[in-house]
């Protein structure tokens, strides 16, 4: 089963690489290759959210776990936290006003229970970020949780290309409880970025609604 999940993750990353047309690499002042900038356009929101939930559900299905569905309230909570992490300039689970992930769900009127929250500070795409989360036991546990039946996913991208990703997993049929802390999976790359790709070049995996 683990091998199937590994193959799925490898497949989506290979597809991501194949989707980007060949280009002459740009060199930095120290002679290294500058990373590509993944630029998200304003109209990409729905596309990226459904791409992520389709990918998550493919991974869950490979392990015999029921799918999750996107929830607009959870999307809103995720968007709020992504923007707030950018303001604070650090990836962590508490807001600038001291609010917790549970507080954010209550503020958007979500009636159920938080299962977990994954966050990341990176220049990488949503598929690369998902692969990074799946590579860490704590964030993987949140994605694959059998308790979760709904998901929120959003981000904030700064002008320099840095992206603050937030995924929220929850269950609408459970009363709110205080969960154990779930450390973030934060991946960083050098700030020298000048090769541009877009969300259209991002990976898709079999079963996508696109």
């Amino acid at each position: 089963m683990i091998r199937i999940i590994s193959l799925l993750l490898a497949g989506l990353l290979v597809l991501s690489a194949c989707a980007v047309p060949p280009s002459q690499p740009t060199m930095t002042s120290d002679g290294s290759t500058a990373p590509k900038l993944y630029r998200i356009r304003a109209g990409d929101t729905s596309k990226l959210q459904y791409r992520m939930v389709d990918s998550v559900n493919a991974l869950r299905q490979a392990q015999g776990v029921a799918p999750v569905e996107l929830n607009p309230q959870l999307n809103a909570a995720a968007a709020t936290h992504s923007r707030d992490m950018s303001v604070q300039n650090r990836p962590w689970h508490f807001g600038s006003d001291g609010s917790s992930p549970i507080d954010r769900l209550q503020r958007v009127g979500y009636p159920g229970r938080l299962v977990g929250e994954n966050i990341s500070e990176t220049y990488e795409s949503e598929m690369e970020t998902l692969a990074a989360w799946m590579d860490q036991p704590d964030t993987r546990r949140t994605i694959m949780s059998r308790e979760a039946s709904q998901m929120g996913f959003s981000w904030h991208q700064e002008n320099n290309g840095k992206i603050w990703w937030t995924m929220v997993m929850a269950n609408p049929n459970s009363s709110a409880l205080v969960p154990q802390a779930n450390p973030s999976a934060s991946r960083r790359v050098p700030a020298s970025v000048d090769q541009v790709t877009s969300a259209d070049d991002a990976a898709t995996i079999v079963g996508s609604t696109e």
Side-chain angles (χ1 to χ4, degrees), residues 36 38 120 122-129 132 161 163 165 187-189:
K36 293 180 179 179
Y38 182 69
S120 183
T122 184
Y123 289 90
E124 296 176 327
S125 71
E126 73 281 359
M127 293 293 95
E128 292 170 307
T129 301
I163 309 171
W165 300 104
R187 302 189 69 196
R188 306 185 186 197
V189 299

Side-chain angles (χ1 to χ4, degrees), residues 154-196:
S154 195
W155 58 89
H156 174 77
Q157 185 167 37
E158 299 178 356
N159 291 334
N160 65 4
K162 181 187 290 186
I163 309 171
W164 302 84
W165 300 104
T166 303
M167 172 188 286
V168 181
M169 304 293 274
N171 188 322
N173 299 317
S174 301
S175 56
L177 298 173
V178 178
Q180 295 181 348
N182 180 20
S184 66
S186 177
R187 302 189 69 196
R188 306 185 186 197
V189 299
S192 177
V193 181
D194 57 10
Q195 291 176 273
V196 179

Side-chain angles (χ1 to χ4, degrees), residues 12-25:
L12 67 89
L13 291 177
V14 168
L15 286 172
S16 178
C18 293
V20 180
S23 60
Q24 189 69 26

Side-chain angles (χ1 to χ4, degrees), residues 98-130:
S99 58
S100 70
I102 292 176
D103 293 328
R104 290 191 287 276
L105 265 60
Q106 292 175 341
R107 289 174 180 177
V108 297
Y110 187 77
R113 180 171 66 89
L114 175 72
V115 172
E117 178 184 79
N118 291 342
I119 57 177
S120 183
E121 172 196 13
T122 184
Y123 289 90
E124 296 176 327
S125 71
E126 73 281 359
M127 293 293 95
E128 292 170 307
T129 301
L130 176 59

